[in-house]
Amino acid sequence: MSRLDEAFADGPAFVPYLALGDPDLESSLEYVRALDRGGADVIELGLPFSEPIAEGPTIQSAVVRSLSGGMTPTKFFDAVETLDVDAPLVCMTYYNLVYQFGGSEARSASEDASGGTASEGAGPRPFVERAAEVGIEGFVVPDLPAEEAGPLREACDEFGLDLIFIVAPTTRGERLERIMERTSGYVYVQARLGVTGAKADVSDQTGASLDRLDRWDLPKAVGFGISSGEQAREVVAAGADGVIVGSALVDIVAEGTSAASQTASGDVAEGHENGDSTEAVADRLETLARELKRGALAGAERAQSERT
Amino acid sequence: MSSDTSKFGEYGGQYVPEALMPAIEELDDAYRRYVLENEDGFVDEFRERLRDFGGRPTPLQRADRLSERYDTDLFLKREDLLHGGAHKLNNALGQVLLAKYMGKERIVAETGAGQHGTATAMAAAHLDVPCEIYMGERDINRQRPNVFRMRLNGAAVNPVTTGRGTLKEAISETMRDWATTVETTHYVIGSVVGPHPFPTMVREFQSVISEEARRQFDDQVGGLPDSVVACAGGGSNTMGAFSRFVSDESVDLYAVEAGGSSLAVDEEEGVAPNSASLSTGTEGVLHGARTKLLQDRDGQIVESHSVSSGLDYAGVGPELAYLVDEGRVTPVTVDDDAALEGFHRLSQTEGIIPALETAHAVAWLEQATSEQLGDSVVVCVSGRGDKDLESVIEETASREIPNAPDMDVFSGGMR
């Protein structure tokens, strides 16, 4: 059993997401610690890619903030290496970053030789090796369907990491079988069609998606649109083993960021205000984290009582 | 699972969110049945509509003065005469019709220069399907006439404000829409890019260009041309103009890319002031396919540039990337200034105002050696330049373009 499986072993898991480096590296590390204090069982850390096709406006903006703050895969791994939190960490990113890592030297060499042919040095292995070194337990790669995931799955097996696949409301039959054969750690149940983003209600597709996954033992974590403790409760009561929450948390970071920049542009002495703001944002994140975790636990109690 | 192979060597594939995979499999199946096997007479209807609505076949015209200038027999494949003024309708009409055969109720599409958007809007109006077009905000401002045309045909135009607001962002945003509405909607992708089966399917719809050109050349001259020249952004007119010549080893194929203002990549700024992904790009994964890309060493996609919106893209079709690696297609580049000169040259010598994209192909003739061109050349005139008039006049005024007409006529003395 991996650390990710274990995180789901004693009750429903709360799995928050933040983009690392949003709005800057130091603050975002502080925010991750706040989520850990708030009861996170697993933390998904976003490594920003310039073309995040699966993300809604909230996380797109986070990606822009992080990239303009200078985030790179190398800085991401260096930062994770220093991060001391209890919750196991999962890296969420897009395949081109996984594929290019560590391949650039090989690539420019082959370019010189042949004028830019496909780079033999590129591939997911160096990325996975470095991730394992800094203590990452698994990956979510939203633009990598099971069909193209062979090399990454292999590298994950080699270094003992989990590869978490997303199951969509449109995933049925053979596709579902194929994905469930390849996924490990947990399965990411996409609650609704579309892109990431906080929603006020729980998707009615959630129950049906969970039913389709019933015969597999792997933990089922539901994400896409969950923003409140009440929603977390409903989702867990419907049979989820965990809830994944991203945009609702990123919204708090975004609000804090715009507040901080207003303060800065208002000619107030900067350092203090911004410092306070990071703490205030971290407090708000911790508060919402506790609410979401409580909601998940309440949902589990209800699910339990309905079963008995 | 696949109708054709989903890969071109190592390029291509299906790198998309899981939510889209069932739709892509459904599309693959529909492509195989309707397009490859002519189920329910799809191909017959498509050909008929291309003829009656689109105006095909387009002429293969001998360009007398350019033939003289380059001392070769030079022919123009006049896709600018296709309805809408560009080759884009071949694909848009094919895909919108396919969407109808598949029972889809709604069309979404991205557009860069607006040519694919206008072609899709026309096809959707013609076939009575609701249509929404995503277009970068910056492109909306660069291509106002095309925005009007889309609106006139009844399409909604959704501005995309992320990033630099060009084609790359418009594709990402259209994929997001599709991921939400996939059960009822078809995404009419505008070039030979994206996940399988799009690169193959779009190439097949565009292949009518080389199918006709091959036959017309044989009728008019006899045999095969020595070379075929087409501009390349995403590569749909390129693959359309090349595909029926690919197996004719004697025909040289030149893909002319936008060299922009420089072929270098500025890692610090994340900008490549060109769109030459075949000539300078490296392998990576973008918008559903593994292909050649303009990217930094980490794999972040950099912002491309070209004076021509339609070539302004950091990726390129996977099949073209493969054909370049195989040595079958030769990528070459033309910079912004040379493209503008090419624009004026075709306008003045042949009476054809080309799209700025096409102007790159025309401009390359000036750089090419006589060995490269051979005794006979077919140049794909991918589109007409009406949409570019404003930007050409603006760009020409700010540069030293020796063959540009002066526009002093506007500053005359009438008061």
Side-chain angles (χ1 to χ4, degrees):
Chain A
M1 198 182 241
S2 72
R3 280 198 70 199
L4 294 181
D5 289 312
E6 278 169 28
F8 289 80
D10 51 351
F14 162 53
V15 183
Y17 163 97
L18 280 182
L20 209 61
D22 170 27
D24 59 76
L25 189 53
E26 280 314 308
S27 307
S28 72
L29 290 171
E30 201 49 56
Y31 301 157
V32 171
R33 290 184 199 105
L35 296 175
D36 194 46
R37 287 195 300 275
D41 298 288
V42 175
I43 300 176
E44 292 184 355
L45 295 175
L47 164 58
F49 175 53
S50 55
E51 314 304 315
I53 57 172
E55 315 296 349
T58 303
I59 294 179
Q60 282 179 51
S61 302
V63 164
V64 169
R65 286 192 296 271
S66 174
L67 286 176
S68 51
M71 179 50 74
T72 66
T74 303
K75 286 184 193 168
F76 177 91
F77 287 134
D78 292 350
V80 172
E81 202 160 27
T82 67
L83 190 59
D84 181 25
V85 288
D86 292 334
L89 302 172
V90 165
C91 168
M92 183 157 179
T93 192
Y94 286 76
Y95 193 56
N96 201 42
L97 299 188
V98 176
Y99 186 72
Q100 302 297 340
F101 189 79
S104 63
E105 280 134 49
R107 189 164 61 242
S108 20
S110 81
E111 244 172 83
D112 292 344
S114 59
T117 52
S119 49
E120 282 169 30
R125 194 176 177 279
F127 188 91
V128 178
E129 183 174 21
R130 178 68 181 140
E133 223 170 74
V134 303
I136 283 170
E137 306 287 341
F139 303 102
V140 181
V141 187
D143 66 342
L144 189 71
E147 283 76 0
E148 307 286 357
L152 181 58
R153 179 72 262 180
E154 229 168 80
C156 285
D157 291 343
E158 180 184 346
F159 293 101
L161 268 62
D162 284 315
L163 181 57
I164 296 123
F165 283 94
I166 297 174
V167 165
T170 46
T171 310
R172 312 273 159 89
E174 271 179 47
R175 286 204 58 75
L176 188 59
E177 303 272 342
R178 225 171 16 234
I179 291 171
M180 294 308 290
E181 266 167 35
R182 288 171 172 77
T183 192
S184 65
Y186 54 97
V187 57
Y188 190 137
V189 183
Q190 182 178 333
R192 62 185 83 223
L193 284 175
V195 292
T196 56
K199 294 281 192 313
D201 61 324
V202 167
S203 165
D204 52 14
Q205 292 169 316
T206 309
S209 297
L210 288 168
D211 287 348
R212 275 197 294 278
L213 291 165
D214 211 31
R215 58 197 175 87
W216 283 281
D217 289 336
L218 204 70
K220 297 149 196 85
V222 173
F224 275 51
I226 299 170
S227 60
S228 68
E230 175 54 27
Q231 284 171 294
R233 190 184 64 78
E234 282 181 50
V235 167
V236 172
D241 302 302
V243 292
I244 304 171
V245 182
S247 295
L249 297 162
V250 173
D251 273 334
I252 292 177
V253 175
E255 281 159 25
T257 305
S258 64
S261 61
Q262 272 163 21
T263 316
S265 64
D267 281 340
V268 188
E270 272 180 44
H272 255 91
E273 263 67 20
N274 283 345
D276 288 342
S277 172
T278 300
E279 258 170 50
V281 171
D283 284 348
R284 266 175 265 155
L285 286 169
E286 189 178 334
T287 305
L288 180 57
R290 284 186 197 288
E291 179 195 322
L292 290 159
K293 175 77 185 183
R294 263 200 312 275
L297 288 169
E301 274 165 32
R302 202 175 71 179
Q304 189 89 43
S305 68
E306 274 171 17
R307 262 182 229 127
T308 49
Chain B
M1 142 201 130
S2 295
S3 47
D4 215 329
T5 168
S6 72
K7 301 238 161 97
F8 310 98
E10 292 293 303
Y11 297 110
Q14 299 176 312
Y15 295 84
V16 292
E18 171 56 29
L20 292 179
M21 283 302 294
I24 283 173
E25 288 179 348
E26 181 192 351
L27 180 63
D28 196 23
D29 175 63
Y31 166 65
R32 186 177 47 74
R33 290 190 289 117
Y34 296 120
V35 183
L36 298 182
E37 292 163 17
N38 195 20
E39 191 173 306
D40 299 341
F42 173 88
V43 176
D44 305 319
E45 182 175 353
F46 173 53
R47 294 279 160 151
E48 187 182 313
R49 287 183 189 274
L50 265 185
R51 186 184 69 222
D52 297 345
F53 178 66
R56 297 213 77 92
T58 61
L60 182 73
Q61 180 218 332
R62 188 172 192 279
D64 294 337
R65 292 178 64 193
L66 287 183
S67 293
E68 200 177 317
R69 183 179 180 97
Y70 301 117
D71 192 24
T72 181
D73 258 341
L74 198 144
F75 289 82
L76 303 173
K77 181 57 178 164
R78 297 289 307 275
E79 291 301 295
D80 59 313
L81 292 177
L82 186 66
H83 179 43
H87 70 290
K88 290 290 185 186
L89 185 69
N90 299 326
N91 167 48
L93 190 63
Q95 284 200 55
V96 176
L97 189 62
L98 186 61
K100 280 199 87 158
Y101 274 65
M102 292 169 72
K104 299 289 178 182
E105 297 156 13
R106 174 176 173 265
I107 294 295
V108 291
E110 88 294 342
T111 196
Q115 290 304 90
H116 174 58
T118 55
T120 305
M122 288 184 323
H126 174 64
L127 294 166
D128 190 25
V129 189
C131 169
E132 287 182 42
I133 308 290
Y134 288 88
M135 187 171 187
E137 201 164 49
R138 181 186 154 95
D139 284 337
I140 287 181
N141 293 325
R142 284 202 282 190
Q143 305 287 343
R144 289 165 54 88
N146 274 342
V147 176
F148 290 134
R149 292 165 76 197
M150 287 182 260
R151 296 289 298 125
L152 288 170
N153 283 136
V157 179
N158 304 325
V160 178
T161 54
T162 48
R164 217 168 48 99
T166 60
L167 180 58
K168 174 166 71 72
E169 290 78 24
I171 294 179
S172 295
E173 198 57 27
T174 316
M175 286 194 163
R176 292 184 188 111
D177 180 312
W178 200 32
T180 314
T181 58
V182 61
E183 288 161 314
T184 57
T185 299
H186 176 66
Y187 174 14
V188 178
I189 207 163
S191 193
V192 288
V193 301
H196 175 77
F198 282 111
T200 307
M201 180 175 72
V202 176
R203 179 250 285 151
E204 276 312 293
F205 286 139
Q206 290 294 356
S207 287
V208 66
I209 301 174
S210 48
E211 186 185 304
E212 285 176 7
R214 201 171 187 284
R215 192 179 59 232
Q216 289 163 325
F217 189 90
D218 192 39
D219 288 348
Q220 295 172 33
V221 186
L224 293 167
D226 286 338
S227 58
V228 178
V229 181
C231 63
S236 72
N237 97 89
T238 337
M239 281 313 303
F242 290 175
S243 79
R244 297 302 184 252
F245 292 109
V246 165
S247 56
D248 302 313
E249 290 291 336
S250 69
V251 182
D252 291 338
L253 306 173
Y254 295 98
V256 186
E257 294 192 286
S261 55
S262 157
L263 287 180
V265 172
D266 184 340
E267 289 260 350
E268 201 62 24
E269 291 293 315
V271 173
N274 62 69
S275 307
S277 31
L278 288 173
S279 305
T280 69
T282 50
E283 189 207 357
V285 174
L286 175 66
H287 291 146
R290 192 191 283 199
T291 185
K292 287 181 187 285
L293 302 175
L294 301 177
Q295 57 186 334
D296 70 11
R297 70 170 70 83
D298 292 329
Q300 304 289 3
I301 310 306
V302 301
E303 299 293 347
S304 56
H305 162 82
S306 168
V307 68
S308 142
S309 305
L311 300 182
D312 198 344
Y313 182 54
V316 67
E319 188 173 13
L320 262 177
Y322 171 72
L323 290 172
V324 165
D325 278 3
E326 292 290 293
R328 183 66 192 93
V329 168
T330 306
V332 293
T333 62
V334 157
D335 68 18
D336 285 346
D337 285 10
L340 286 163
E341 282 179 43
F343 176 93
H344 292 299
R345 192 174 306 113
L346 194 69
S347 303
Q348 288 160 16
T349 57
E350 299 293 339
I352 298 167
I353 299 176
L356 271 175
E357 293 79 24
T358 310
H360 285 75
V362 174
W364 181 70
L365 302 170
E366 201 75 5
Q367 300 170 16
T369 64
S370 52
E371 286 77 42
Q372 285 176 313
L373 295 180
D375 292 334
S376 55
V377 189
V378 170
V379 178
C380 183
V381 180
S382 56
R384 69 178 183 221
D386 306 49
K387 68 182 175 69
D388 292 318
L389 296 185
E390 259 185 75
S391 42
V392 165
I393 288 163
E394 204 177 288
E395 294 283 349
T396 301
S398 65
R399 297 161 196 259
E400 296 281 324
I401 307 296
N403 65 346
D406 75 46
M407 291 290 168
D408 286 354
V409 62
F410 286 115
S411 49
M414 288 274 279
R415 280 167 209 268

